[in-house]
Amino acid sequence: MRISVVDVGSNTVRLVVADAEGGVPLPVHTAKWRLRLSEQVKPGGRIPDEAVERLADAVAGAARSAARWHAAGPLAFATAVVRAAPNREEVLRTVRERTGVELCTLPGEVEAELTFLGARRWMGWRSGPLALLDIGGGSLEVAFGRGRLPDFAASLPLGAARLTHEFFAGQDPPSPELIRGLRRKVRHQLRDVAARIRWEGPRTAVVTSRTFQQLGRLCGAAPGRHGPFVDRQLHRSELRRAITRLAELPAAERSRLPGISAPRAAQSLAGAVVGHTAMKLTGLRTVTVCPWAIREGILLRHIEDGPSWWAEVSRSAEETPEPVPLRIATVQN
């Protein structure tokens, strides 16, 4: 069985085609289309018509590529940048009419659940009680659990691109006062979720997402060319020093630092502040940078629970309004 997943994120549309024999998703083809939606859309703002057209073109290209690799129609989802847009339904309808792909938006808590599943499978049962942090462009997902799926999951509007727009627009590099204001907001939003993580006392903590991967590289983790099986750790003390380095440089110069790509350079500072503050509030000194995240979680759910689960999740997602800024969901295993 060959499965494909299309992920419409804040910066790119990503395709993963994987073989699912033996219960493990083994990638056979990946591709990406760079859209940089986060640069064109203010937090909670409307997605411009030109961006919608380019999004539809990218999804159509991903569907054609999946077909060439003999994969079934893609499981396609969009994250916070589309989920929070006032013209979300128009975007989804345009993609469906132009491509035949049923693109859906998943609630943030479902994204956290699926990302947790991917991290759990990668880390294995020996990791014990597991805490997860995932920084996207529009939201931060947090989860904790002892089993296959998390015991609780939360989604907060603390994405790196969203906060860059909110706090750093017009100042490059931003002033210390703006950085302190950002940190205060993150502390306030994270307070309750962080208290839950501290109370649970996880044995293992993992971080996922391109933001954390790039910050891990900046802080000394092995580069991606060394492969996914290299152990990559991110230490809170190193991340604190990285914030100082990033804050001293304009975005154009941050891209010269190890691991920081040009498309994500502008949001790297906000991502570092969110990551460091989250680690500090939850009491995590060291986390493992996990290469598996939401796309692998979707593939695993499809393999383990069958195709019907996606139809149910995507249908219920379209009936669910955009979540409030803080929402903690208890997930039933």
Side-chain angles (χ1 to χ4, degrees), residues 78-80 83 106-116 139 141 294:
T79 54
R83 186 173 66 231
L106 302 176
E109 294 77 21
V110 174
E111 290 187 19
E113 174 189 341
L114 292 166
T115 304
F116 182 93
S139 61
E141 274 67 60
I294 186 170

Side-chain angles (χ1 to χ4, degrees), residues 15-322:
L15 166 71
V16 175
V17 179
D19 283 334
E21 301 300 330
V24 178
L26 300 175
V28 296
H29 175 67
T30 62
K32 67 180 179 180
W33 292 258
R34 197 172 302 284
L35 297 182
R36 300 188 183 182
L37 289 178
S38 62
E39 296 179 6
Q40 305 168 60
V41 183
K42 294 181 179 180
R46 187 181 185 278
I47 300 177
D49 292 342
E50 290 184 5
V52 174
E53 292 299 316
R54 292 195 297 111
L55 192 162
D57 289 342
V59 172
R64 289 193 298 268
S65 184
R68 285 195 297 270
W69 284 85
H70 307 292
L75 309 175
F77 70 100
T79 54
V81 67
V82 174
R83 186 173 66 231
N87 60 332
R88 177 184 69 169
E89 294 302 325
E90 175 189 335
V91 173
L92 301 181
R93 182 173 61 253
T94 299
V95 170
R96 181 173 62 251
E97 293 174 351
R98 286 272 308 276
T99 71
V101 174
E102 292 287 345
L103 181 69
C104 74
T105 56
L106 302 176
E109 294 77 21
V110 174
E111 290 187 19
E113 174 189 341
L114 292 166
T115 304
F116 182 93
L117 174 60
R120 167 61 81 191
R121 287 289 185 260
W122 181 269
M123 299 298 294
W125 294 110
R126 65 189 177 92
S127 59
L130 182 71
L132 166 82
L133 301 173
D134 180 284
I135 301 174
S139 61
L140 166 71
E141 274 67 60
V142 183
F144 171 85
R146 300 171 179 81
R148 169 178 176 255
L149 298 177
D151 298 327
F152 84 93
S155 180
L156 303 102
L158 297 175
R162 176 193 290 261
L163 296 178
T164 299
H165 276 295
E166 182 177 346
F167 284 88
F168 299 159
Q171 282 204 21
D172 185 24
S175 66
E177 290 77 15
L178 289 176
I179 296 173
R180 285 194 291 270
L182 169 58
R183 192 180 290 276
R184 282 195 298 271
K185 172 163 184 170
V186 176
R187 283 200 301 263
H188 175 73
Q189 292 278 350
L190 262 174
R191 181 180 56 200
D192 294 338
V193 171
R196 174 70 184 267
I197 295 289
R198 289 198 309 272
W199 180 78
E200 294 284 2
R203 180 184 177 194
T204 305
V206 299
V207 294
T208 62
S209 76
R210 188 66 62 186
T211 294
F212 268 126
Q213 289 174 359
Q214 294 196 1
L215 292 173
R217 177 71 186 104
L218 178 63
C219 293
R225 66 177 179 272
H226 290 183
F229 299 109
V230 175
D231 183 45
R232 293 178 172 87
Q233 302 288 319
L234 176 60
H235 303 284
R236 193 172 80 203
S237 58
E238 292 294 332
L239 187 53
R240 183 68 187 88
R241 284 189 280 272
I243 291 174
T244 301
R245 295 176 68 189
L246 292 167
E248 292 173 346
L249 300 173
E253 294 184 25
R254 291 178 203 155
S255 61
R256 301 172 188 170
L257 297 173
I260 304 300
S261 66
R264 294 178 182 270
Q267 66 186 55
S268 59
L269 175 57
V273 172
V274 172
H276 178 267
T277 306
M279 291 179 67
K280 187 173 183 179
L281 290 180
T282 53
L284 303 173
R285 295 184 178 275
T286 302
V287 293
T288 297
V289 182
C290 178
W292 276 14
I294 186 170
R295 291 184 292 273
E296 289 76 16
I298 288 174
L299 291 168
L300 286 163
R301 281 296 301 265
H302 195 80
I303 294 168
E304 297 172 3
D305 297 342
S308 60
W309 80 271
W310 178 257
E312 295 172 3
V313 167
S314 58
R315 183 172 59 250
S316 62
E318 298 313 308
E319 299 169 354
T320 303
E322 170 67 4

